[in-house]
Amino acid sequence: CVGGARREGARGRPGGRSKCGGRLGGGANPGRPVGFPTANIRLGEYTRPLRGVYAVRVGVDDGLSYDGVANLGMRPSFGGTEILLEVHLFDFEGDLYDRHLRVAFMHYLRAEKTFDGIEALKAQIAADATGARELLAAAPSNSRTAER
């Protein structure tokens, strides 16, 4: 994944807008078999927003932006040992490896939790994605939000 993520303007609490970014590299791809491929960013050592699930707006280095849902945390259902930002972009198909992303945390959805199995995790991710889409559809779209 990424070694040197950058972050700016964060307040680190629900309702406070935080942004971070980083260049993507190879990863374990745990999201693909679940049906929600993710771009994974290692955040490094600095103040982070609360761990949990967020509705996000993401700018890609080609100038395009996408809405999505993200998990910031340890990935307890996969035995994670480090904090990682996993971002699923809505309506995106393609390869993001070696691309630079800017992630804007728009809405805090819920705390991170451990699931009993993959089916329970898939159902919760689907519900989170639906909730994120609804919140982001109601929020004004400002292309500069994630791209700056």
Side-chain angles (χ1 to χ4, degrees):
C1 286
V2 171
R6 294 184 318 155
R7 182 170 172 278
E8 58 191 49
R11 289 180 239 167
R13 63 180 188 272
R17 295 270 160 69
S18 298
K19 289 190 253 182
C20 72
R23 188 165 303 280
L24 304 181
N29 296 321
R32 274 190 212 285
V34 178
F36 292 89
T38 58
N40 301 328
I41 302 172
R42 287 194 174 100
L43 295 178
E45 295 298 322
Y46 53 79
T47 305
R48 301 177 181 113
L50 292 173
R51 289 182 4 194
V53 178
Y54 290 84
V56 296
R57 289 219 160 109
V58 180
V60 182
D61 58 10
D62 61 6
L64 298 177
S65 63
Y66 299 88
D67 287 349
V69 64
N71 180 72
L72 174 64
M74 300 287 286
R75 303 175 313 147
S77 297
F78 291 102
T81 59
E82 69 177 318
I83 293 178
L84 188 67
L85 175 61
E86 300 175 287
V87 181
H88 173 71
L89 303 180
F90 301 145
D91 308 315
F92 177 85
E93 291 186 26
D95 185 357
L96 291 173
Y97 290 116
D98 205 34
R99 304 292 298 275
H100 189 269
L101 302 184
R102 304 286 300 154
V103 181
F105 299 87
M106 303 299 291
H107 300 279
Y108 182 82
L109 302 177
R110 64 173 178 82
E112 183 177 45
K113 65 182 196 176
T114 304
F115 294 90
D116 292 332
I118 202 81
E119 292 306 315
L121 174 62
K122 286 168 70 170
Q124 184 62 60
I125 294 171
D128 293 338
T130 298
R133 282 183 188 271
E134 290 171 0
L135 286 167
L136 292 167
S141 180
N142 176 355
S143 62
R144 296 180 63 193
T145 301
E147 295 174 11
R148 276 184 65 95

